[in-house]
Amino acid sequence: MNKLPEWTDLRYFLELARAGTLTGAARRLAVDHTTVARRIQRLEHEFGTPLFDHRREGYELTEQGRALVPHAELMETAAMSALEQLAGKMQGARGVVRLGSPELLGSVLVAPRVQELVTVNPELHLDLLLLPRFANLANREADLSITLDAPETGRYMVTRLSCFRYYLFGSRSYLARFAPITRKEDLAEHLFIDYVQTQLMSTGLNYLDEIGIVPKRRFCATGMLAQCEAANAGIGLVMAPPYAARKYPDLVPVLPEIVYAHRTLWLVAPSDLYGQKRVRTVWDWLRATVESQKDQLFLPSHYTQEPRMEPVAINV
C-alpha cells in the first residue's frame, strides 16, 4: 500500500458493513448502489486485500474487514466531532440519529413526542428503528438503543431508563365470554397470547413463566404490537406493560395486584458516540420524556420508583 485511502471510501465501507447489502448502504448514503460497489473495489485494491465476502444473502466482512471497522469508526467519530465543533456550541444538534426501540414503546412513547425534540433542534433528524429485536449497537445499526438487557462487555454508556411492570390484560369482550377471574389458579383454564418462544430477543420476555401456571398459548407473535392487537380482538390474555393500555383502552388489567413481572428498561450508546451533541441531545430528551411519563406509562402511582441513575461507562 503506497498511499492513504480516500477517507470518504471508508464511510462507504462502514455503511456496507452495517447494512450488509449494496442497496441498503446506497440508501443510507443517498447514492446509487453501483457507486458503493465502485468505492469498495477501489478500497480493496488500495489495501490489497478483500474486505467483504460477497454471498447470495449479502456482503459479509472478511477477517481483514473486521479488523478495519474500529479504525474506520474512529475516523467517522472524529469527523462528526469536528463538524459539531466547527458548527458552534451554541447551535442546536444537527444530523441523523438512529434510535433503536421496542415496537410498541417507540410507537406510544417516542413517536408522539418527536415534535418536541425537532422544534428545539430543527436540523436534527430522528430515525426510529422499530425492530422485532433489540438494535445491534456493535455494528452501528443504531446510535443508541432502548433495551431490556444492559451490556456486560464492550465500550458503552449505560443508564437505567425506567423500571416497569408487565401486567396481565384481557379485552372486555374476551372476559365477558368466560367466568370471572378472581384468583391466580383460575388462569389455568384461560387462553394466552405470548412471544414466539424460539424467537425471544431477551430472556426477560419469559414473564409468563412467572405466573405459576402452564399457560395455554393460543397465539404467539415476535412483536408486542401484534400481541396487543390480538388481545384487543379477544383472542386471549396478554402480559403487557402499562403503556399498552393507553393505546388499547378496551384492554383491562386482570389481577393486577398479584400477577405481574418486574423489569428494567436501559438506554445504551457506544461510548464514542455518547459525547456527540446529536446523540447526547436525543439521550437527554429520552430520559426527560420517560421521567415525565412514568406514572402514566410505566408504573402505578403507588409503586416505589428506584432513584434516578446517572450514566455509567462500560469498558470491557
Side-chain angles (χ1 to χ4, degrees), residues 117-286:
L117 175 68
V118 298
T119 296
V120 179
N121 302 277
E123 294 188 73
L124 184 69
H125 304 273
L126 186 65
D127 285 353
L128 182 59
L129 309 182
L130 304 179
L131 305 170
R133 53 179 172 75
F134 294 119
N136 189 329
L137 295 180
N139 69 2
R140 300 303 173 93
E141 183 176 39
D143 299 309
L144 66 167
S145 178
I146 301 171
T147 178
L148 283 176
D149 302 307
E152 297 180 353
T153 60
R155 296 181 179 275
Y156 298 102
M157 294 298 295
V158 182
T159 189
R160 183 176 56 237
L161 194 57
S162 179
C163 296
F164 72 107
R165 286 180 175 181
Y166 286 97
Y167 289 98
L168 191 62
F169 290 92
S171 69
R172 290 181 174 85
S173 63
Y174 174 87
L175 296 173
R177 301 200 310 268
F178 294 87
I181 303 172
T182 59
R183 56 180 187 160
K184 186 185 295 186
E185 290 73 16
D186 295 337
L187 297 173
E189 303 303 318
H190 282 264
L191 304 175
F192 284 84
I193 297 165
D194 198 6
Y195 280 96
V196 178
Q197 296 300 287
T198 58
Q199 300 291 324
L200 291 176
M201 57 185 177
S202 167
T203 56
L205 297 176
N206 282 321
Y207 36 68
L208 278 185
D209 294 343
E210 301 175 18
I211 295 180
I213 65 167
V214 178
K216 298 178 180 178
R217 294 180 173 87
R218 169 58 61 87
F219 173 77
C220 294
T222 56
M224 177 62 69
L225 183 60
Q227 293 176 45
C228 289
E229 289 284 354
N232 196 54
I235 292 177
L237 303 176
V238 67
M239 285 281 278
Y243 53 80
R246 291 284 296 272
K247 184 173 177 61
Y248 301 96
D250 194 48
L251 294 179
V252 295
V254 177
L255 304 178
E257 297 301 320
I258 60 175
V259 180
Y260 59 82
H262 182 206
R263 296 292 186 269
T264 300
L265 284 173
W266 301 93
L267 183 59
V268 185
S271 296
D272 59 328
L273 295 182
Y274 176 76
Q276 293 185 10
K277 191 170 186 178
R278 61 187 179 91
V279 174
R280 186 62 183 272
T281 296
V282 176
W283 175 288
D284 292 342
W285 170 76
L286 270 175

Side-chain angles (χ1 to χ4, degrees), residues 31-79:
V31 298
D32 188 87
H33 73 277
T34 58
T35 302
V36 179
R38 186 170 60 252
R39 293 291 194 107
I40 297 302
Q41 289 173 0
R42 181 168 69 181
L43 197 58
E44 290 180 329
H45 175 73
E46 291 176 341
F47 277 112
T49 185
L51 301 173
F52 293 94
D53 284 329
H54 186 192
R55 302 180 178 181
R56 178 180 301 178
E57 60 272 18
Y59 283 72
E60 184 173 325
L61 286 166
T62 62
E63 182 179 352
Q64 294 84 354
R66 289 192 295 272
L68 179 60
V69 167
H71 300 289
E73 286 179 343
L74 284 174
M75 296 175 71
E76 179 186 51
T77 300

